[in-house]
Amino acid sequence: MKTLINESLVAEQNQSLMPALQEDYDHLGAKLQRSGIDIEAVTQQAAKFQVAVPSWGTGTGGTRFARFPGIGEPRNIFEKLEDCSVINQMVRCTEKVSPHFPWDKVSDFTELKGFADDLGLGFDAVNSNTFQDQPGQEHSYKYGSLTNTCPQTREQAVAHNIECIEWGKTLGSTALTVWIGDGSNFAGQSHFQRQLERYLDSAKEVYNALPDDWSMFIEHKMFEPAFYSTVIQDWGTNVLCAMELGEKAKSLVDLGHHAPNVNIEMIVSRLIQFQKLAGFHFNDSKYGDDDLDSGSLHPFQQFLIFNELVDAEHRNQPGFNPAYMLDQSHNVTDPIESLMNSAEEVQRSYVKALLVDRDALYGFQDSNDAIMAANTLKAAFNLDVAPILAMARVRNGGAIAPIATYRESGYRAAAGEKRPSSGHSGSGIV
Amino acid sequence: MKTLINESLVAEQNQSLMPALQEDYDHLGAKLQRSGIDIEAVTQQAAKFQVAVPSWGTGTGGTRFARFPGIGEPRNIFEKLEDCSVINQMVRCTEKVSPHFPWDKVSDFTELKGFADDLGLGFDAVNSNTFQDQPGQEHSYKYGSLTNTCPQTREQAVAHNIECIEWGKTLGSTALTVWIGDGSNFAGQSHFQRQLERYLDSAKEVYNALPDDWSMFIEHKMFEPAFYSTVIQDWGTNVLCAMELGEKAKSLVDLGHHAPNVNIEMIVSRLIQFQKLAGFHFNDSKYGDDDLDSGSLHPFQQFLIFNELVDAEHRNQPGFNPAYMLDQSHNVTDPIESLMNSAEEVQRSYVKALLVDRDALYGFQDSNDAIMAANTLKAAFNLDVAPILAMARVRNGGAIAPIATYRESGYRAAAGEKRPSSGHSGSGIV
Amino acid sequence: MKTLINESLVAEQNQSLMPALQEDYDHLGAKLQRSGIDIEAVTQQAAKFQVAVPSWGTGTGGTRFARFPGIGEPRNIFEKLEDCSVINQMVRCTEKVSPHFPWDKVSDFTELKGFADDLGLGFDAVNSNTFQDQPGQEHSYKYGSLTNTCPQTREQAVAHNIECIEWGKTLGSTALTVWIGDGSNFAGQSHFQRQLERYLDSAKEVYNALPDDWSMFIEHKMFEPAFYSTVIQDWGTNVLCAMELGEKAKSLVDLGHHAPNVNIEMIVSRLIQFQKLAGFHFNDSKYGDDDLDSGSLHPFQQFLIFNELVDAEHRNQPGFNPAYMLDQSHNVTDPIESLMNSAEEVQRSYVKALLVDRDALYGFQDSNDAIMAANTLKAAFNLDVAPILAMARVRNGGAIAPIATYRESGYRAAAGEKRPSSGHSGSGIV
Amino acid sequence: MKTLINESLVAEQNQSLMPALQEDYDHLGAKLQRSGIDIEAVTQQAAKFQVAVPSWGTGTGGTRFARFPGIGEPRNIFEKLEDCSVINQMVRCTEKVSPHFPWDKVSDFTELKGFADDLGLGFDAVNSNTFQDQPGQEHSYKYGSLTNTCPQTREQAVAHNIECIEWGKTLGSTALTVWIGDGSNFAGQSHFQRQLERYLDSAKEVYNALPDDWSMFIEHKMFEPAFYSTVIQDWGTNVLCAMELGEKAKSLVDLGHHAPNVNIEMIVSRLIQFQKLAGFHFNDSKYGDDDLDSGSLHPFQQFLIFNELVDAEHRNQPGFNPAYMLDQSHNVTDPIESLMNSAEEVQRSYVKALLVDRDALYGFQDSNDAIMAANTLKAAFNLDVAPILAMARVRNGGAIAPIATYRESGYRAAAGEKRPSSGHSGSGIV
């Protein structure tokens, strides 16, 4: 496996940080031992945890007002994969990359697969794009794609989804994520029911093109780009559509796609219960679909989501097999740093959720001891699990201090030399 | 039919207001005629419109901080029915009353039915109450009712729902509305999935006790009285539960029970499409479940909801038969006045929705003429339909100016004499 | 005054619509007369009402995901002014245009002024832009403009604001609107207090460059483009800054820039009371800064805002002199149609507010007759004032049916021929 | 000082927990030492931290739907003080109690002061209550108190506030907290500006009655009990009123009183900057004024607030002297347990904020290194500071494990015997 950051640099950095890490790890081990928890078992689970990164996340994001490019932004999927390999080299829990088409379309997908293989990377769910018009495209998505009132436009959108599946097969993906921007900006602009009927018709065509071992992930979103109504506006519509389509269709949760104040962890629980949880697009948000770094503002909420996930694992909940992916917009940071940091934040929530004393929790729940139930969760959340995360990275060949080591490597500056700025984002986002 | 306000007073008031009304009505008729609309047909539909009133709405509401009683509040279901009959006498679109048990429990339900018959009133959906403890009750609902971890408590709650059905049968009701306050105030307090499983188990027992021609209306609510999670938290969980239970179970929409910014008219459309719309608890809200007077703050939203309802009627949507009810808390007004006003507001939305040019609308929707689609709705909304509402009332025997006539009657002052204040609300709300 | 749509077409269209309009107008006049209101006086006030249009609003807007251009979009400020003149020719209440720099920068501002004069247009507040980087700009605004930690960047932003004032002087403007995108995406990224101190220092430099008869309008916004914190995040910070700066600084209210559920009409009242209301950016929104067409979703809220404005006028509130402007993003409509429609919607709210019986309202307020106070507002809101609006337009030389007449003129198709699409928005928005 | 829980029980419990605590404390000390932080200095600051408890918080809270009493609820201020003394005995950071009048009114305030002295308790800010009517009260607050349109009602409310000051003087308080429920439920019900003018007139009368060393804390709230508008609706109105009144008036922040998504830590910073921060009512909330236990849902937000507070301390910000108080509603827990837990949660945030490397943070802020700035805060937040909190308690004479020790003591069961339930809350809340 090819690595783009000098491995001896990683080793050297780790060496200097190891004594303190070992001390912290040993103490945490002793402390957990008091509660009967074997830190080694937890570290092994942490070391197996994986969250995919989005190819488009390696470019600098922006808003409708402006995009302020960074230096050395990747200009194509090959350069994006290089950045992803750096991320994974440092954190060792991001082996898969989720591509987005046509942004990541290439002439030879077999070549692309080989390029990724060499970097030790695989491909996660493929993403179709019918929320933008591409140059030369026959029909515009201005008024919708899979739900457009024009049948030719719908067919074009269906065909694009099907070609995404084809490309994904070559890449080794087994899932198609469908997010559409369809909706309306005016009351009356769209007939809600007919619009969803058209969605279901189109989605069935896509569904029918899925290989046997593939899944279709449906993504809901409250608003943006449409500002009065969105076709798949919430998990309710999402799950009903997934039920209409069939077993292979499931509902994807993006943390920034809900109404204010909504209890997202409860939605996760509901989707688990009804065996329709596809997985996640992790990010954080304060106002809308802010696409901030995962766990940067609401770490306890992210922990509560993982509490549901680990609980389902613990209970061997039937049909439980969610896909984890980051989906963020890095407007003011180096995307590589944000993605490394966020992967670690997601992993942190997972590890803390592993440390919840579930038997105690169930007991407090059954006896309505609300404060002790709450404190049982908080006891796990309040633990400083950084030593477990760092040790898991080291054992997998990663860096104890990913950002520091990455900065020391000079990778970004070198990318700046190799990749002169075009002023346009390789991410595809305007 | 017995009327509590002197009919000659009504006639006299109407007489003085009729000339202006007739002039306005005639002009509106001429104006609508230009668009090919027959005002008489619309007035006849308006005259058939009905919305039920809640028995508990006749008492002054309050908040957890205080309740400021009004004068002459009804002290029992008989006095509540008297107030409801006054409302209906004035507005003539509120023939049904929705009772709440055990608040409205009586020793002889046949007597109660007869009392209502005499006043020309019928009974709408019966409401069970497992969100409060009643004196002498064996098990407390402090930690839940239908979802309590204690089986005896769940059984008690199930049994109460079943007795409500029994009482409702005598009263001529054909629906049971189930709203529970169950939820949690702390993360971890309740196991989300097990809690909903218990709900479904309990609800099935209630469902199985429904007579053949009855429906079960499930009500969702985002928060309050529970402040971290609510079991039936949104329409998604609501509709999934209704599907689990069976055909007789449907989802009720209370306008104040959603997350901020949520597109409620779209939820209504979704429930219509999936044949699960039970009906409505109409009210208005700005912040939470404020239970303000219907249409008092968001008249256009209420119109958009009726636009969906009238559209479903227009399309002969299968399974479409929603129940309409007011559900408000009258903290600073005379409840009779608020209920009369609100019934009229709901009827106003209905009539405006009738006036939408649906063929034009469909055309604009199909051709993506967003602004003309929006303007088609606005054209109907902007019409002043007060003359139609007033004329429909007059023809049904009601008052042109309900509040003015009611005030003139001195009914409230007389009630104050007859019903000395206890300081406690007859509504049952603290 | 030059008009771009054939005046005989307007006359002809009006002629065919006049009989029905006259009938409706006469009836409304008779109806208002019953309440002692002289319709002619109201129509005269309506005819004097003005709301400015934003130069950038004539181009199609978009989101960070995509922009779907329309045909014949204006490519520079001269073409934007042509579109604005068409709007004003039809609606006759949009005589002023608000320019945005450097988007509307020209080499000869005197020429621009003359061009506008010929079209009968004037210039409203000038808008500076320090939320985007311009080609060749020395310092980037990626991390802020007036509040940047780098003094040179702040100076650059100050200098740009001062050059906007200079250009505005030539154009006949008397106000500078300052909206900055400064904020942060991470907790900790910015030191809140030091950041606002820098804002005040920079803003003082701009303030000191204002001519004697100019005002500085400060615009607050909750979020976007920054997603954790915004420097001028709400009216509280806005008004405190305006107070620090001095009398010429006032607070501008954009309807889409507030937190969910916020009572905007109350903020308007507070700013009036403390003599700091600069004016408005009118638009509508359901979720965030959606920039939807004014009054398209919340017409009653817009009416309540005008109720405050007309009330202040009625009371001769000291220092009351607000500026009215549209600020919208037209993503799915012809911008000319949306701006005409929105100008009328704003005017509609104004006229309805004029019709409120203020003496009655004050009486009900004083006696705590909540329902009659509410009904007094609703009585005005429920009136169909379309005849007044249309008659005011006719008398000013505009069109009874602006959109229909505009469509009939073929202006957009002709623009499509004259202005071949560049694929980029002339609006400046990405 | 009298203690109500056997001190030997506390000592015994602590003894068994001390070995593990010492081990954790020593390791944390060693770890912090690596960053140059002396754990002893931090523990001493932690030991000095104080947060007041609300007398009314010792009773079980409820909602407008129901209140489910606990056992042994205090029936008067003397029993409330007993419960408060238990809280303080366990956690040793809650020496002060905030009384609420007339709920806590007694015939002899000197006796009450002596009773508190014996328990080692003092009195924090006194709270007036004009949001409820009291038996025998001449004028009702149904339509407002300090802002009522009736001058006699306003005078009554002013007089009550002044009597609260008098009682507070005897008790040793130095601040009056004024929260009013005044507002409106209907658009039009109140004239916003006149209502605020009446507020200012009334508040000035109260302000003028303040002793020289007293402060007046103004509390804002978005909604509830009024559901369309609230007089002091946000920090903007709050701070403007405080400025009108004078130096002794400051703005109090209750964490549950803001609009959804609002950045509260930024409001705190603004109030600090403008020298108007009175202090806090700590609690947590997900939807509205949920009054959940502090830090139970948004621990990172609470940390960010303390980050602002500690930063202001660090910078010796002029006029910075905030009052800290809990204000929660304990609906499903033993109030004593919730208050102990919450005091610790608040203290936890404070200690974590002390551990922020401020010099590093300022450096990252100045150089716009957003991710390292964020990580600097997170580094402190992620630390497990439980050993510092426990050690601070031990040194002050408290319990290492407050809830466990309290439960072991049997205090609640004994209270249940001594205080037979009346079914009504001693808290005064309905």
Side-chain angles (χ1 to χ4, degrees), chain B residues 63-66 68 131-133 142-143 186 223-224 227-228 287 289-291 293 297 331-332 429-430, chain D residues 63-66 68 131-133 142-143 186 223-224 227-228 287 289-291 293 331-332 429-430:
Chain B
T63 69
R64 64 175 164 138
F65 297 105
F68 298 95
F131 52 84
Q132 288 181 324
D133 286 349
K142 182 168 188 167
Y143 300 107
F186 289 85
F223 73 101
E224 196 208 20
F227 294 112
Y228 164 63
Y287 305 103
D289 186 25
D290 308 334
D291 279 331
D293 283 19
L297 285 182
N331 300 359
V332 296
I429 297 285
V430 291
Chain D
T63 70
R64 62 175 165 140
F65 297 105
F68 298 97
F131 52 84
Q132 288 180 326
D133 285 350
K142 183 169 190 166
Y143 300 107
F186 289 85
F223 73 102
E224 196 209 17
F227 294 110
Y228 164 64
Y287 306 102
D289 186 25
D290 308 334
D291 279 334
D293 283 19
N331 300 0
V332 296
I429 297 286
V430 289

Side-chain angles (χ1 to χ4, degrees), chain C residues 17 27 36 63 73 80 127 131 145 183 190 216 230 240 247 250 279 283 297 311 327 340 346-347 350 408:
Chain C
L17 295 165
H27 174 72
T63 70
E73 295 192 86
K80 292 179 202 173
N127 296 267
F131 52 85
S145 58
S190 299
M216 181 170 166
T230 296
L240 289 175
E247 268 196 18
K250 296 194 167 182
N283 53 58
L297 285 181
D311 191 81
D327 182 10
M340 292 191 303
V346 170
Q347 198 182 17
Y350 171 68
E408 189 65 27

Side-chain angles (χ1 to χ4, degrees), chain A residues 50-62:
Chain A
Q50 288 288 326
V51 56
V53 293
S55 69
W56 62 96
T58 54
T60 303

Side-chain angles (χ1 to χ4, degrees), chain D residues 48-54 93-98 123-125 177 217 252-253 255 268 272 277-283 294 302 305-313 320-327 343 346-347 349-350 353-354:
Chain D
K48 283 186 286 186
F49 182 83
Q50 288 288 326
V51 57
V53 293
C93 62
T94 59
E95 283 172 4
K96 291 205 172 173
V97 178
S98 193
F123 288 95
D124 205 66
T177 298
F217 296 168
L252 187 83
V253 176
L255 272 66
V268 171
I272 291 171
L277 179 65
F280 292 87
H281 276 187
F282 287 113
N283 53 57
S294 295
Q302 191 172 279
I305 289 169
F306 270 98
N307 179 51
E308 294 301 323
L309 299 170
V310 168
D311 191 81
E313 242 170 44
F320 179 73
N321 183 30
Y324 299 149
M325 201 184 99
L326 299 174
D327 182 9
V346 170
Q347 199 182 15
S349 297
Y350 171 67
L354 288 174

Side-chain angles (χ1 to χ4, degrees), chain A residues 63-66 68 131-133 142-143 186 223-224 227-228 287 289-291 293 297 331-332 429-430, chain C residues 64-66 68 131-133 142-143 186 223-224 227-228 287 289-291 293 297 331-332 429-430:
Chain A
T63 70
R64 63 175 163 139
F65 297 105
F68 298 96
F131 52 85
Q132 289 180 325
D133 286 349
K142 182 167 189 167
Y143 299 107
F186 288 84
F223 73 101
E224 195 207 26
F227 294 111
Y228 164 63
Y287 305 101
D289 186 25
D290 308 334
D291 279 333
D293 283 19
L297 284 182
N331 300 359
V332 297
I429 297 285
V430 290
Chain C
R64 62 174 165 139
F65 297 105
F68 298 95
F131 52 85
Q132 287 180 326
D133 286 349
K142 183 168 189 167
Y143 299 106
F186 288 85
F223 74 100
E224 196 210 17
F227 293 111
Y228 164 62
Y287 305 102
D289 186 25
D290 308 334
D291 279 333
D293 283 19
L297 285 181
N331 300 358
V332 296
I429 295 286
V430 289

